Amino acid sequence: MAELTATISATMETLLESKKYSTLRDILSTLNGADIAALFEELPHNRISLLFRLLPKELAAETFVEMDGDVQEALIRSFSDSELKEIVDELYMDDAVDLVEEMPANVVKRILSQADPETRRLINEMLKYPDDSAGSIMTTEYVDLRPDMSTEDAIKHIRRTGIDKETVNVCYITDERRRLVGTVSLRDLILYPEDEVMEDIMETNVISVNTLEDQEKVAEQFAKYDFTAMPVVDGEGRLVGIVTVDDAIDVLKDEATEDMEKMAAITPSDKPYLKLSSWEIFKSRIPWLLLLMVSATFTGSILSHFEEALQTCIVLVSFVPMLMDTGGNSGGQASVTIIRGLSLHEIEFSDVFRVIWKEIRVALLCGLCLAVVNFGKLMLINNTGIWVALVVCLTLVATVFCAKLVGCTLPILAKKIGFDPAVMASPFITTIVDALSLLIYFKFAQLFLHL
Amino acid sequence: MAELTATISATMETLLESKKYSTLRDILSTLNGADIAALFEELPHNRISLLFRLLPKELAAETFVEMDGDVQEALIRSFSDSELKEIVDELYMDDAVDLVEEMPANVVKRILSQADPETRRLINEMLKYPDDSAGSIMTTEYVDLRPDMSTEDAIKHIRRTGIDKETVNVCYITDERRRLVGTVSLRDLILYPEDEVMEDIMETNVISVNTLEDQEKVAEQFAKYDFTAMPVVDGEGRLVGIVTVDDAIDVLKDEATEDMEKMAAITPSDKPYLKLSSWEIFKSRIPWLLLLMVSATFTGSILSHFEEALQTCIVLVSFVPMLMDTGGNSGGQASVTIIRGLSLHEIEFSDVFRVIWKEIRVALLCGLCLAVVNFGKLMLINNTGIWVALVVCLTLVATVFCAKLVGCTLPILAKKIGFDPAVMASPFITTIVDALSLLIYFKFAQLFLHL
């Protein structure tokens, strides 16, 4: 894929140099906005602005929204005022808002000055919604109809106003106070006779979200109800916009990425990895590494505390990595399963005892199985003698037990008190379980080996 | 949410006991299929079959597909043949195929015997596609038009046949050999004059996928091109079905869950956590725990190898957990970032040197920062003396360096040779980095402390 893009980009540069503009336009017109944007990524900025001008107006807007922020900025800087106005007029409202949010202040000023007054008002309105709220990702292009319209009126209304709407697959019925009272699909408008009235055929059981609703919750509603667009209403139930399914998909992908980053002890970032500078990556990773390093010194101090015991039976040291790793892995398995279950709402706080009971049984099964294998290995290969083997294997069972218990309860408790459960993943659990496993190890050693 | 569902379920049981069926029907009719299915989860199976019969036909089908496999099975067993036929007729083809795939053989036989011959043929056809292919998740309900139809003909055709189609927002134009040649949106059919011909207004730059394409790739296409449905063609370019965006969302969610499970060293499972038995959870976790436990004994043998050195300078032991944990966390950060980048196609094999160069710089920044903090702590709090502090801090820098390097290259190499990169996450990286960090530690100790 990457190689192919590079080849096509090279072809385009050759055509560009020999000024074969009409051939270029023909090639570009057969492509999709997302593909053209990917091609442009491979070209120098001055080439892009030349090629971009060859695109038909609608395709140009489609391509523009798919491009990275830095390319968009360079392009806007190369635009004349009238070129900029053309693009801004062609953008969907949610894309225009995204653009304004990403560009530096002087570019934003130019964009807003070229937008028509109504667009400018809407952009400013939408910028006020909190980050990651339904209001911040919604678009204001939708078709609204009145309850007393006939299907014929409705289709006429769509013909008159619907060209620019991002989605007219579903039309929204609002009353005289702009409150959302029902929905009608475009399919129904076509299938019903011309004189049917909206209020008779509309679906009145409308699921909508509030402007302030978290975008993650909105995306989950899409996954649950199989919608292609979700109406967004204000505090008084008035329709103010819609969220389309493509934005919901982006949110779902971003939230999964964020959870994975948090689970790996990284502060999440919006940008893709290759666009981040080393310094930015460093800043997203170092706080957690520092925190976990300092916490791990407690584990070290447990080892120091038992220094004398260790010196008399130094063979015990060689099992420390295995015990620590197995504890960390066992705890990580439980915590990641529970964190994902919580974020998909498959697990709720009320399930906490069911979860604990399940993990206890799993922990005993895993712990016993690991202990048996390890006991065999210690007796047959390492020849440690039965008492050391017993200490190691009992510790293993106890460690896995504690690890699973800590791993499954911490994320649920974190969520209950309003913390992000994703942070309670392997690195955090490992640090706690390491200390626990060493304490257990030395207690068993004192008991059975009389150190 | 869970509490609310329980309350409503209780109300419904009371209504059911007092035989207030019409009230119940009114309540249920205002709800969405997904919500009703969630309510039913709380009720005993015999209650469900009673309530289910109160639902209007279409809502019944909607609810049915949202229910869990065990509830579906219980319901089917309680259905008469004619009731079963009604439901099967109402199901979309992709949902019918999912149902057949999930049910035990004797239930499948009953379902197929009640389906009409054409449906039975289609189900059997679709069951032949490989698991997780586009063919296995597509539906056969779509609107196909001919290139020479006028918009008026097209709308008439939809009125005649379109009622049952899962999505008619986009119609597909096929030639006389059923090859896909273009698409027309329902919106365009309404907006264009009645006598426009399909081949003049259709979008000919059609993006489609092959029946055998991996469902993950299909879902990515949705995310890239912002579609609501994707046409699926066979080897000869003939249209055989469409994948709808709701299925793509499910695939994206499942794939993210699977990646997280693999990263936490768990064999992925289709079922939600609470539906899995302890034995099933045990089986998905124990192979990895065993593998990693055995690998970790190598790390232990490094410690054994340096037993004498340790005995003369036992204080070194107390820094082992901190070094191992920091190495594991650093490597985990790099690997999870790269694994996610690979699965979102933000990173390709050709980026390998850019990635390594970036991680080298990040590793040096992180390593130095951690070392400086640690050096201060060792000198001021632990009073270890300068040489031990030096050994620990140099090891820290070297460990973070190795961890980031191993963490970023292994997933890319794994993908290149056709392995799943998600397996190369923290647990695996940790095991490798543990051994490396101990080797480095003792080399530095021998060098500076002359053990």
Side-chain angles (χ1 to χ4, degrees):
Chain A
M1 178 67 195
E3 286 78 12
L4 183 67
T5 314
T7 318
I8 304 180
S9 298
T11 314
M12 302 192 76
E13 281 217 65
T14 320
L15 286 170
L16 209 53
E17 268 161 40
S18 47
K19 298 206 165 66
K20 298 220 187 297
Y21 297 129
S22 68
T23 318
L24 272 169
R25 181 180 295 125
D26 290 345
I27 298 178
L28 288 173
S29 303
T30 63
L31 296 173
N32 190 297
D35 293 322
I36 300 177
L39 277 174
F40 281 7
E41 290 277 300
E42 307 285 321
L43 296 170
H45 285 182
N46 59 332
R47 296 295 192 196
I48 299 177
S49 56
L50 234 164
L51 282 171
F52 190 79
R53 288 186 175 82
L54 295 175
L55 297 174
K57 214 163 67 175
E58 208 176 315
L59 188 57
E62 245 180 62
T63 305
F64 190 79
V65 299
E66 297 286 345
M67 291 189 297
D68 283 328
D70 49 342
V71 185
Q72 287 177 331
E73 195 183 327
L75 261 182
I76 292 179
R77 290 189 194 281
S78 82
F79 284 160
S80 70
D81 281 353
S82 66
E83 283 172 326
L84 180 59
K85 186 174 168 45
E86 238 173 53
I87 287 291
V88 173
D89 284 349
E90 201 67 34
L91 291 181
Y92 288 121
M93 193 51 63
D94 54 345
D95 294 327
V97 172
D98 286 349
L99 183 66
V100 166
E101 276 174 335
E102 259 186 50
M103 292 295 115
N106 56 344
V107 177
V108 169
K109 216 172 146 190
R110 252 194 89 202
I111 295 173
L112 289 181
S113 73
Q114 291 309 317
D116 61 63
E118 174 61 10
T119 308
R120 194 157 54 231
R121 193 188 64 75
L122 281 171
I123 291 178
N124 282 320
E125 193 69 30
M126 285 169 76
L127 284 175
K128 283 186 209 135
Y129 293 112
D131 265 2
D132 301 339
S133 68
S136 75
I137 56 167
M138 72 183 182
T139 186
T140 52
E141 281 99 354
Y142 55 85
V143 177
D144 56 341
L145 306 171
R146 302 301 289 272
D148 55 359
M149 279 182 174
S150 70
T151 51
E152 198 188 354
D153 297 338
I155 289 178
K156 274 192 195 143
H157 178 84
I158 293 170
R159 284 210 175 119
R160 210 168 49 238
T161 64
I163 298 271
D164 250 10
K165 310 288 167 171
E166 187 161 358
T167 172
V168 284
N169 300 328
V170 178
C171 306
Y172 300 92
I173 321 289
T174 52
D175 65 12
E176 69 285 354
R177 289 167 61 189
R178 285 193 30 234
R179 282 179 314 201
L180 181 63
V181 293
T183 60
V184 163
S185 70
L186 202 52
R187 186 180 64 166
D188 287 340
L189 289 184
I190 291 184
L191 296 178
Y192 276 104
E194 289 196 338
D195 54 352
E196 283 283 356
V197 179
M198 291 304 109
E199 54 193 342
D200 297 335
I201 62 171
M202 69 188 184
E203 169 68 66
T204 52
N205 167 27
V206 187
I207 288 163
S208 63
V209 294
N210 189 275
T211 46
L212 302 177
E213 186 70 271
D214 187 77
Q215 60 174 4
E216 197 174 349
K217 295 249 172 67
V218 179
E220 279 160 22
Q221 303 271 306
F222 273 94
K224 183 173 173 198
Y225 294 113
D226 299 350
F227 286 163
T228 56
M230 172 82 76
V232 181
V233 297
D234 66 11
E236 275 84 52
R238 286 183 301 240
L239 183 64
V240 290
I242 57 171
V243 176
T244 51
V245 69
D246 52 314
D247 294 318
I249 288 181
D250 290 343
V251 169
L252 283 175
K253 276 176 61 178
D254 290 348
E255 299 286 346
T257 306
E258 255 183 42
D259 273 359
M260 288 182 200
E261 287 173 335
K262 284 181 202 150
M263 285 185 203
I266 304 170
T267 309
S269 136
D270 284 342
K271 284 201 243 175
Y273 175 76
L274 290 174
K275 300 271 167 193
L276 287 167
S277 70
S278 303
W279 182 250
E280 286 170 313
I281 298 177
F282 164 71
K283 280 192 299 180
S284 69
R285 293 184 186 175
I286 192 70
W288 298 99
L289 287 180
L290 274 173
L291 178 72
L292 293 167
M293 180 181 80
V294 173
S295 322
T297 55
F298 289 110
T299 317
S301 65
I302 294 173
L303 277 177
S304 305
H305 186 77
F306 291 96
E307 223 161 68
E308 272 176 48
L310 277 178
Q311 224 146 3
T312 53
C313 187
I314 193 83
V315 68
L316 288 180
V317 176
S318 66
F319 303 111
V320 167
M322 184 274 287
L323 290 170
M324 277 173 52
D325 280 354
T326 305
N329 292 333
S330 305
Q333 288 180 331
S335 68
V336 166
T337 309
I338 301 305
I339 292 167
R340 185 61 178 165
L342 286 169
S343 96
L344 295 179
H345 295 271
E346 289 170 0
I347 299 171
E348 307 275 345
F349 182 72
S350 53
D351 298 317
V352 64
F353 294 111
R354 276 177 73 191
V355 169
I356 290 177
W357 177 228
K358 213 180 257 290
E359 286 298 328
I360 285 178
R361 281 174 296 168
V362 174
L364 290 177
L365 283 170
C366 286
L368 286 174
C369 177
L370 292 172
V372 168
V373 172
N374 209 38
F375 192 82
K377 180 182 159 286
L378 290 178
M379 295 303 286
L380 299 173
I381 302 177
N382 300 50
N383 288 315
T384 54
I386 187 146
W387 291 108
V388 168
L390 205 63
V391 167
V392 172
C393 293
L394 283 176
T395 307
L396 205 49
V397 176
T399 299
V400 172
F401 186 84
C402 292
K404 296 273 184 209
L405 212 59
V406 172
C408 78
T409 45
L410 273 195
I412 300 185
L413 292 180
K415 182 157 186 183
K416 183 68 182 173
I417 59 170
F419 276 24
D420 190 332
V423 175
M424 299 296 163
S426 312
F428 209 83
I429 303 281
T430 300
T431 308
I432 297 172
V433 171
D434 281 354
L436 280 177
S437 66
L438 287 184
L439 278 177
I440 297 167
Y441 192 33
F442 289 114
K443 285 293 160 202
F444 277 129
Q446 286 177 324
L447 204 65
F448 290 95
L449 305 175
H450 313 289
L451 299 175
Chain B
M1 177 68 195
E3 286 79 13
L4 183 66
T5 314
T7 318
I8 305 180
S9 298
T11 314
M12 303 193 76
E13 282 218 64
T14 320
L15 286 169
L16 210 51
E17 270 161 39
S18 47
K19 298 207 166 66
K20 298 221 186 296
Y21 297 130
S22 68
T23 318
L24 272 169
R25 182 181 293 124
D26 290 345
I27 298 178
L28 288 172
S29 302
T30 64
L31 296 173
N32 190 297
D35 293 322
I36 300 177
L39 278 175
F40 282 7
E41 290 279 299
E42 308 286 321
L43 297 169
H45 285 182
N46 60 331
R47 296 296 191 194
I48 299 178
S49 57
L50 235 163
L51 281 172
F52 191 79
R53 288 186 174 82
L54 295 175
L55 297 175
K57 213 164 67 175
E58 208 176 314
L59 188 56
E62 245 179 63
T63 305
F64 189 80
V65 298
E66 297 287 344
M67 292 189 298
D68 283 329
D70 48 342
V71 186
Q72 287 177 332
E73 196 183 326
L75 261 182
I76 292 179
R77 291 190 193 280
S78 81
F79 284 160
S80 70
D81 281 353
S82 66
E83 282 172 328
L84 180 58
K85 186 174 169 44
E86 238 173 54
I87 287 290
V88 173
D89 284 349
E90 199 68 32
L91 290 182
Y92 288 121
M93 194 49 65
D94 53 345
D95 295 327
V97 172
D98 286 349
L99 183 66
V100 166
E101 276 174 336
E102 258 185 53
M103 292 295 115
N106 55 344
V107 178
V108 169
K109 214 170 146 191
R110 251 196 90 203
I111 295 172
L112 289 180
S113 72
Q114 291 309 316
D116 62 61
E118 173 62 9
T119 309
R120 194 159 54 230
R121 194 187 62 75
L122 281 169
I123 290 178
N124 282 321
E125 193 69 32
M126 287 169 76
L127 284 175
K128 284 188 209 133
Y129 292 111
D131 265 1
D132 299 339
S133 68
S136 75
I137 56 167
M138 73 183 182
T139 185
T140 51
E141 281 99 354
Y142 55 85
V143 177
D144 57 340
L145 307 171
R146 303 301 290 269
D148 54 359
M149 280 183 174
S150 69
T151 50
E152 199 188 353
D153 298 338
I155 289 178
K156 273 192 196 143
H157 178 85
I158 293 171
R159 284 208 176 122
R160 211 170 48 237
T161 65
I163 299 272
D164 250 9
K165 310 289 166 169
E166 187 162 357
T167 171
V168 284
N169 300 328
V170 178
C171 306
Y172 301 91
I173 321 289
T174 51
D175 65 11
E176 69 285 355
R177 289 167 60 192
R178 286 193 30 232
R179 283 178 313 200
L180 180 64
V181 292
T183 60
V184 163
S185 70
L186 202 52
R187 186 179 63 166
D188 287 340
L189 289 184
I190 291 184
L191 295 178
Y192 276 103
E194 289 196 338
D195 54 352
E196 283 283 355
V197 178
M198 291 303 110
E199 55 192 342
D200 297 334
I201 62 171
M202 70 188 182
E203 170 68 66
T204 53
N205 168 27
V206 187
I207 289 163
S208 63
V209 293
N210 188 275
T211 44
L212 302 178
E213 185 70 272
D214 187 76
Q215 60 173 3
E216 196 176 351
K217 295 248 171 69
V218 180
E220 279 161 22
Q221 303 270 311
F222 273 93
K224 184 173 171 197
Y225 294 113
D226 298 350
F227 286 163
T228 55
M230 173 82 75
V232 182
V233 297
D234 66 11
E236 275 84 50
R238 286 184 300 238
L239 183 64
V240 290
I242 58 171
V243 176
T244 51
V245 68
D246 53 312
D247 295 317
I249 287 182
D250 290 343
V251 170
L252 283 174
K253 277 175 61 178
D254 290 347
E255 298 287 345
T257 305
E258 254 183 42
D259 273 359
M260 288 182 199
E261 287 173 336
K262 285 182 202 151
M263 284 185 203
I266 304 169
T267 309
S269 136
D270 283 341
K271 284 202 242 174
Y273 175 77
L274 290 175
K275 299 270 166 192
L276 287 168
S277 70
S278 303
W279 182 251
E280 286 170 313
I281 299 177
F282 164 71
K283 280 192 298 178
S284 69
R285 294 183 184 175
I286 193 69
W288 297 99
L289 287 180
L290 274 172
L291 177 73
L292 293 166
M293 181 181 81
V294 173
S295 322
T297 55
F298 289 109
T299 317
S301 65
I302 295 172
L303 277 177
S304 305
H305 186 79
F306 291 96
E307 224 162 65
E308 274 176 48
L310 276 178
Q311 223 145 5
T312 54
C313 187
I314 194 83
V315 68
L316 287 180
V317 176
S318 66
F319 302 111
V320 166
M322 185 274 290
L323 289 171
M324 278 173 51
D325 279 354
T326 306
N329 292 332
S330 305
Q333 287 180 331
S335 67
V336 166
T337 311
I338 302 303
I339 291 166
R340 185 62 177 163
L342 286 169
S343 96
L344 294 178
H345 294 271
E346 289 171 359
I347 299 172
E348 307 275 346
F349 182 71
S350 53
D351 297 317
V352 65
F353 294 111
R354 278 175 72 192
V355 169
I356 291 178
W357 176 228
K358 214 180 257 289
E359 287 298 329
I360 285 178
R361 282 174 296 169
V362 174
L364 290 177
L365 283 169
C366 286
L368 287 174
C369 178
L370 293 172
V372 167
V373 172
N374 209 38
F375 193 82
K377 180 183 159 286
L378 290 178
M379 296 302 287
L380 299 174
I381 301 176
N382 301 51
N383 288 315
T384 54
I386 187 145
W387 291 108
V388 169
L390 205 63
V391 167
V392 172
C393 292
L394 282 176
T395 307
L396 204 49
V397 176
T399 298
V400 172
F401 187 83
C402 292
K404 295 276 185 207
L405 213 59
V406 171
C408 78
T409 45
L410 272 195
I412 300 185
L413 292 180
K415 181 156 187 186
K416 183 69 183 174
I417 59 171
F419 275 26
D420 191 332
V423 175
M424 300 295 162
S426 312
F428 208 85
I429 304 280
T430 300
T431 308
I432 297 173
V433 171
D434 280 354
L436 280 176
S437 65
L438 287 184
L439 278 177
I440 296 167
Y441 191 34
F442 289 114
K443 284 294 158 198
F444 277 129
Q446 285 177 323
L447 203 66
F448 290 94
L449 305 175
H450 312 288
L451 299 176

